[in-house]
Every structure is written in C-alpha cells, then in structure tokens.
C-alpha cells in the first residue's frame, strides 16, 4: 500500500468554523478510542526514566498540539505521580483555550504556545527539551520535508515520541466506519486521507537522522496506530 499525502479538510478551515470545531471534538474522541494518551504516557514513562517515587520536573515540546487536550490528559496522569513539565506547544493556530491553560496551571504545569509553522518554531528554539511528542501530525508531511523536520527534532530533544496512523488495509477499513461513532463528514474524509498518508514498517526510522547516538523503536500500536520512539543514548 503506497504512501499518499493529500490535503486534509480540517487544515483548510478557519478555527471558528462550525465544522472544524465539531471535527476537533471528533479527534478528541478518536484519540480516546485509539488510546493514544496511554501509548505516549507509557513511552515517556519507560524511556525518560523518571522514578514515580521521586517527583520531578521536565521540559516538553509538542508538535502540532492543536487545542492541548491530549497533553492535558497526560498532565493529569503525571500529576498523580508528582511530575510536572514546562511545555512549549507549536501549532499553526493558537487553539488552546483560557480554561485549558488554567487547568495546566492548576496542575503545576506551564504552557507556552507558539502559533507558527513548525519548522520556524523549531528553528527558534535553542535548548533541547527532555521530551518531544507528536500525535497524528507527522503524516501530514511528504518524505523530504519530514526528513528535515525529524532532523530538527533530533537536534532539539533527548527523547522523541510519535503516535501516527498505521497505513494498512485494516486501518483503512476502520477509517470508513467513523460515522458509527458520530464523526462528521470532515473527520470521515480526513481519516481516510490520514491512513493513506500513515506509516508502516520502519519508514520513520529510515527518515530519522542516521547516527549511532540514538536508540530507535518503531512498531504497531493497538489496532490502527503506529508508534515511533527515538531516545538519545547516554
């Protein structure tokens, strides 16, 4: 199944468009169904090596973080262990509400939103973050710009974790049934496009900077998702 990257409808709509608002709500529901918060949480827990018995603070960058809802789920879970983070969220649109910011603050997290192109945002950042995550974001890029994006990411973090659509016939079939859980036409269209642009095998590994400085894991995650984890050695 050849990888095909096409424009998604949600990316072309203004933030306050009624269909876009409903589609973002659909994405929150899809993330819960797919269990992406759990995939990301476990990857950070396993590879950042923070001891839950020893409260700590770390720095985190999220690429294409949208309205911050997925990250807020993670913050709530990590708060129970005494973890907190200084977060930089990069997205073309600033979709994080005041209410969401207040929830982060109540958990002891700080959040800084950069409303700009991800390449520009990463170029501005200088100090590497402890963790960088991307959820349903990398599949928007064709191979050449994605290779450049991953190079920038590798220069600016010690641990990179992505959760993306898996490009498979099973996932493609599943994407055509999102109407059953109430998703609107925008989401149903974009889900099919996302699966076709998704990843399989070790495609992201092949695009990650070729260096012995990293330990890389790439594998299926659940029924329809694809996980990529790169941890800087030492």
């Amino acid at each position: 199944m050849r990888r095909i990257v096409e424009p998604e409808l949600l990316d072309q709509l203004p933030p306050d468009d009624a269909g876009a608002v409903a589609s973002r709500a659909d994405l929150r529901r899809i993330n819960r169904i797919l269990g992406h918060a759990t995939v990301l949480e476990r990857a950070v827990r396993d590879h950042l090596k923070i001891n839950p018995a020893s409260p700590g603070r770390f720095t985190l960058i999220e690429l294409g973080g949208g309205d911050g809802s997925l990250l807020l789920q993670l913050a709530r879970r990590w708060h129970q262990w005494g973890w907190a983070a200084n977060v930089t969220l990069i997205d073309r649109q600033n979709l994080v509400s005041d209410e969401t910011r207040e929830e982060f603050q109540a958990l002891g997290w700080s959040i800084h939103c950069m409303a700009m192109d991800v390449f520009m945002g990463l170029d501005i950042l200088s100090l590497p973050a402890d963790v960088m995550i991307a959820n349903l974001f990398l599949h928007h890029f064709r191979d050449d710009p994605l290779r450049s994006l991953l190079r920038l990411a590798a220069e600016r973090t010690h641990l990179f974790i992505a959760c993306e659509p898996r490009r498979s016939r099973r996932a493609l079939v599943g994407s055509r049934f999102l109407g059953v859980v109430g998703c609107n036409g925008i989401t149903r269209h974009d889900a099919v496009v996302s699966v076709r642009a998704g990843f399989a095998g070790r495609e992201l590994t092949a695009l990650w900077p070729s260096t012995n400085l990293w330990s890389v894991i790439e594998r299926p995650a659940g029924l329809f998702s694809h996980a990529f984890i790169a941890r800087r050695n030492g």
Side-chain angles (χ1 to χ4, degrees):
M1 189 174 175
R2 184 169 63 91
R3 183 168 186 250
I4 302 172
V5 180
E6 298 175 307
E8 296 184 17
L9 296 180
L10 181 58
D11 295 334
Q12 303 172 53
L13 295 172
D16 56 353
D17 178 88
V21 172
S23 186
R24 288 197 296 273
D26 291 342
L27 288 175
R28 291 193 291 271
R29 185 161 57 250
I30 290 169
N31 273 315
R32 288 194 297 271
I33 293 171
L34 296 178
H36 282 191
T38 298
V39 173
L40 294 167
E41 176 197 9
R42 288 177 177 171
V44 171
R45 185 178 60 202
D46 291 345
H47 296 279
L48 187 60
K49 303 301 182 186
I50 290 181
N51 185 349
S54 177
R57 192 172 194 92
F58 59 99
T59 54
L60 185 149
I61 297 170
E62 183 174 12
L63 307 181
D67 61 7
S69 58
L70 180 71
L71 189 57
L72 184 57
Q73 288 185 56
L74 295 174
R76 288 168 179 154
R77 297 184 186 195
W78 288 331
H79 178 70
Q80 298 174 2
W81 300 348
W83 294 13
N86 300 325
V87 173
T88 300
L89 189 153
I90 306 175
D91 198 292
R92 287 188 307 166
Q93 300 171 331
N94 186 357
L95 300 172
V96 181
S97 67
D98 291 340
E99 180 182 358
T100 298
R101 291 176 186 271
E102 290 170 1
E103 289 193 60
F104 275 112
Q105 185 175 7
L107 296 171
W109 285 49
S110 68
I111 181 166
H112 170 60
C113 297
M114 301 175 69
M116 61 182 62
D117 172 82
V118 67
F119 290 93
M120 183 182 298
L122 285 175
D123 193 52
I124 290 173
L125 297 173
S126 54
L127 295 177
D130 296 312
V131 185
M132 186 180 296
I133 64 174
N135 180 66
L136 299 180
F137 180 69
L138 301 183
H139 69 276
H140 290 90
F141 300 89
R142 292 182 171 84
D143 285 358
D144 285 344
L146 181 54
R147 182 180 288 105
S148 299
L149 175 60
L150 294 179
R151 177 184 55 78
L152 285 172
E155 293 172 354
R156 286 158 177 80
T157 191
H158 299 290
L159 174 62
F160 182 86
I161 303 168
C163 201
E164 294 293 321
R166 189 191 312 165
R167 196 176 73 256
S168 68
R169 296 193 182 281
R170 174 189 288 179
L172 188 60
V173 171
S175 69
R176 297 184 186 279
F177 284 90
L178 286 177
V180 174
V181 295
C183 292
N184 70 8
I186 296 168
T187 306
R188 296 197 303 272
H189 170 275
D190 287 355
V192 174
V193 172
S194 295
V195 170
R196 289 173 174 163
F199 302 98
R202 293 181 62 81
E203 291 173 338
L204 287 170
T205 302
L207 297 173
W208 189 257
S210 179
T211 172
N212 58 7
L213 298 178
W214 295 87
S215 296
V216 176
I217 298 171
E218 187 168 2
R219 56 174 174 76
L223 289 175
F224 306 120
S225 302
H226 190 79
F228 175 79
I229 303 165
R231 178 172 56 83
R232 189 185 298 272
N233 295 327

